Amino acid sequence: MNKRVRAICIIMVIIAALVGFLFVNSLEKNPELDKTKTYLIQGKENLIAVYKDKLAVKIPYDINIDKEKTVEDLVKNNSEETVLETINKILPEPIENYMVVKHGQIPLTAKNQKNIPETVINNKRYILTSSLYSMFDTLYNEKEKVNELNENIIVDVLNANGRNGYARRTGETIKKNLGMKYNAANYETNLEESYIILNDISNDKAQDIVMQLNEKYFKIQQVPTIPTLANVVVVLGKEENVPFEVEVTGNSAGVQNSVNELKKAGYKKVTVEKEATKSDKKIVEYAAEDYFIAYKIAKILDITDMIERDGLKNKVRVIIN
């Protein structure tokens, strides 16, 4: 072999090595997301719907699309186009691009990053579309409605516990800490439980109000019975003997710690169930009308995952396993 042929061979080997290196390197690194576009990212355990730099919604593979098919089934058995089309039928806002992540992770820069709202029916997890639309209104569309400015939100505070001046004192707390307006009055009768009526207010704003109040057992009243122009109504009950249970399940040391925290916070009927639902993360399960009860409990225990479960009645279940 003469020197010229040998040199050509060496150059070809070098070029092949460089091409191979660049190819492997391209697999190791995922491309950066364009912050002005929307993506459906297919990862190892989730689909992630990314809406520009505003919102990223994680969709776990084990959530059901329908009674027979999970998100994982959808991804494994269909083309990317079909997956995108199916997910777009569920999400309030359409996704335009599809990306498969094979190595590592893509850093998400979205301002709001959330798990998709879900409910459990007959031991199967489903997407809770009603909460999904509310989440998009609040976090993605970012509607600048005048009545969502704190100073223009009106809260009716109704005293149903018989304590003199309690509604006014509670209203002053809301005004001082949140800057909202309030109307204070006595309810027509004394009640054991407390109630919240959502007339024209986002979930986030209602959560802010509930966290300012001492009451723990706020039931959502689905059919408003109080004529008012207020955005939200809170009815403050006695809560001395509420027929409501907080069940803490699991076998870990954290179970007793959680029980102690809840009793310290004033929850009276707190029980422990050792043989119960298993989970690899902490979860608070609740019935739809008990969302705000569950929300306060989750905040006390620093739990971020909440699941609406069909069948629970007058009970919130805390899974610690």
Side-chain angles (χ1 to χ4, degrees):
M1 182 182 295
N2 59 40
K3 293 182 179 180
R4 182 177 180 184
V5 173
R6 185 181 301 166
I8 292 174
C9 290
I10 292 173
I11 292 171
M12 291 180 66
V13 170
I14 293 173
I15 291 174
L18 286 173
V19 169
F21 174 78
L22 292 173
F23 176 74
V24 172
N25 194 50
S26 69
L27 291 178
E28 294 293 338
K29 296 181 180 180
N30 292 310
E32 293 291 330
L33 294 180
D34 187 335
K35 296 180 181 180
T36 66
K37 295 182 179 180
T38 60
Y39 297 86
L40 185 63
I41 300 176
Q42 178 186 320
K44 294 180 180 179
E45 299 177 350
N46 309 277
L47 291 177
I48 305 175
V50 179
Y51 291 87
K52 305 176 184 178
D53 60 349
K54 294 183 178 181
L55 176 64
V57 182
K58 183 190 297 182
I59 310 171
Y61 282 157
D62 52 356
I63 281 186
N64 279 59
I65 295 293
D66 54 37
K67 290 183 179 180
E68 305 299 330
K69 183 168 58 180
T70 64
V71 173
E72 185 174 18
D73 297 329
L74 173 69
V75 171
K76 283 185 176 181
N77 302 321
N78 295 276
S79 66
E80 295 178 4
E81 291 77 11
T82 301
V83 174
L84 184 59
E85 180 182 355
T86 302
I87 295 300
N88 272 338
K89 290 179 180 178
I90 298 170
L91 297 172
E93 298 287 341
I95 292 286
E96 298 171 350
N97 306 289
Y98 198 100
M99 178 184 293
V100 179
V101 176
K102 295 183 178 179
H103 299 272
Q105 296 180 340
I106 289 183
L108 300 176
T109 58
K111 180 172 60 177
N112 301 299
Q113 299 181 28
K114 299 287 184 179
N115 292 329
I116 199 161
E118 60 181 87
T119 183
V120 176
I121 302 174
N122 295 328
N123 293 321
K124 289 185 178 181
R125 298 165 67 186
Y126 293 90
I127 295 170
L128 188 62
T129 53
S130 57
S131 295
L132 186 61
Y133 278 78
S134 173
M135 182 175 75
F136 269 73
D137 278 345
T138 304
L139 300 181
Y140 177 61
N141 294 330
E142 296 179 336
K143 296 183 296 185
E144 298 295 338
K145 298 194 303 181
V146 172
N147 67 347
E148 280 294 288
L149 298 174
N150 278 16
E151 59 265 33
N152 292 311
I153 291 177
I154 301 174
V155 184
D156 276 355
V157 184
L158 304 182
N159 182 0
N161 61 31
R163 302 176 207 163
N164 290 333
Y166 189 81
R168 182 188 58 78
R169 291 194 298 273
T170 302
E172 284 297 317
T173 297
I174 294 171
K175 180 180 177 180
K176 176 183 176 181
N177 295 339
L178 298 178
M180 298 176 180
K181 299 182 177 73
Y182 75 91
N183 299 314
N186 289 327
Y187 193 59
E188 58 189 21
T189 183
N190 288 346
L191 300 174
E192 189 62 40
E193 290 182 323
S194 301
Y195 289 92
I196 184 166
I197 303 171
L198 308 174
N199 291 329
D200 180 25
I201 192 170
S202 69
N203 214 44
D204 284 354
K205 295 294 185 181
Q207 288 170 179
D208 290 343
I209 294 170
V210 167
M211 292 306 296
Q212 297 298 319
L213 308 178
N214 293 325
E215 285 69 25
K216 300 166 181 62
Y217 301 99
F218 278 103
K219 291 274 188 181
I220 297 175
Q221 196 169 90
Q222 301 291 357
V223 181
T225 58
I226 300 172
T228 180
L229 296 177
N231 303 91
V232 59
V233 180
V234 290
V235 182
L236 310 175
K238 293 185 291 184
E239 296 196 352
E240 294 172 354
N241 190 28
V242 177
F244 197 94
E245 176 187 357
V246 182
E247 179 186 276
V248 183
T249 78
N251 293 297
S252 67
V255 170
Q256 191 57 51
N257 292 336
S258 297
V259 170
N260 294 341
E261 285 292 321
L262 292 171
K263 288 184 175 180
K264 181 180 177 182
Y267 292 88
K268 296 179 180 179
K269 190 175 182 181
V270 183
T271 62
V272 175
E273 178 59 56
K274 294 184 178 180
E275 300 297 330
T277 306
K278 303 294 182 182
S279 173
D280 58 356
K281 59 184 178 180
K282 296 180 180 180
I283 300 173
V284 176
E285 297 181 339
Y286 62 95
E289 66 177 355
D290 298 327
Y291 172 79
F292 290 103
I293 302 175
Y295 181 79
K296 294 196 81 166
I297 290 171
K299 285 296 184 182
I300 291 169
L301 300 178
D302 194 27
I303 297 176
T304 57
D305 290 296
M306 296 175 57
I307 297 178
E308 183 181 315
R309 177 176 281 278
D310 185 48
L312 285 178
K313 185 171 179 59
N314 290 327
K315 176 192 287 188
V316 162
R317 181 179 293 121
V318 180
I319 302 173
I320 300 297
N321 294 330

